[in-house]
């Protein structure tokens, strides 16, 4: 068993999106993305399907040029290779689930950071 909290040690970096690896399972990586209002992740795509959950706040989630407003508690799933972007309307915590086969560094590179923080989960 593993546990983690999306609310522990939340950091809203003033200059870039903050990426934290929260947990790895046999099939997925659970990532927390903290965005200050106005911060964004420009157009990109994932090589595997993803799930995005707005845990706190509100974002504009663009899918192939169509903007969707996602508020606290909303989820969206995307198939592989769908171009998307996101922009925080206000300070937001987003949970991203990616395939274990996907690379964490790919997500980190979208944030402007060199590396992701990693939370030590309970095993």
């Amino acid at each position: 068993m593993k546990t983690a909290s999306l609310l522990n040690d939340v950091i809203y970096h003033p200059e870039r999106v903050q990426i934290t690896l929260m947990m790895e399972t046999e099939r997925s990586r659970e990532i927390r993305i903290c965005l200050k209002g106005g911060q964004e992740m420009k157009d990109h795509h994932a090589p595997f399907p993803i799930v995005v959950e707005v845990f706190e706040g509100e974002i504009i989630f663009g899918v192939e040029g169509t903007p969707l407003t996602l508020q606290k508690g909303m989820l969206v799933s995307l198939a592989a290779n769908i171009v998307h972007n996101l922009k925080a309307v206000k300070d937001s915590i987003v949970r991203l689930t990616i395939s274990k086969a996907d690379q964490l560094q790919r997500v980190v590179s979208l944030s402007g950071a060199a590396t992701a923080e990693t939370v030590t989960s309970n095993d």
Side-chain angles (χ1 to χ4, degrees):
M1 177 175 72
K2 297 181 180 191
T3 63
S5 172
L6 292 172
L7 295 175
N8 287 353
D9 303 318
V10 171
I11 298 171
Y12 294 103
H13 193 281
E15 297 174 12
R16 68 178 181 275
V17 175
Q18 188 71 25
I19 307 290
T20 305
L21 175 62
M22 302 300 296
M23 178 184 298
E24 289 192 32
T25 71
E26 290 180 17
R27 297 185 181 188
S28 70
R29 289 188 170 93
E30 303 297 330
I31 299 167
R32 179 180 63 200
I33 303 172
C34 294
L35 306 100
K36 284 188 69 60
Q39 288 181 335
E40 62 186 317
M41 297 176 77
K42 300 202 183 281
D43 279 352
H44 60 280
H45 67 277
F48 301 94
I50 63 170
V51 175
V52 174
E53 172 193 0
V54 178
F55 182 78
E56 190 67 53
E58 180 177 340
I59 65 171
I60 304 298
F61 191 79
V63 180
E64 296 185 323
T66 301
L68 304 168
T69 300
L70 299 179
Q71 299 172 331
K72 178 179 179 174
M74 297 179 76
L75 294 100
V76 63
S77 67
L78 289 182
N81 298 311
I82 302 294
V83 175
H84 59 281
N85 59 60
L86 54 112
K87 182 173 184 176
V89 174
K90 55 187 174 183
D91 292 359
S92 299
I93 299 172
V94 174
R95 177 182 164 196
L96 170 65
T97 302
I98 63 173
S99 168
K100 182 82 169 202
D102 200 348
Q103 298 298 313
L104 176 63
Q105 191 57 39
R106 179 189 64 75
V107 179
V108 171
S109 70
L110 299 168
S111 73
T115 61
E117 293 192 26
T118 302
V119 169
T120 303
S121 60
N122 299 326
D123 293 312

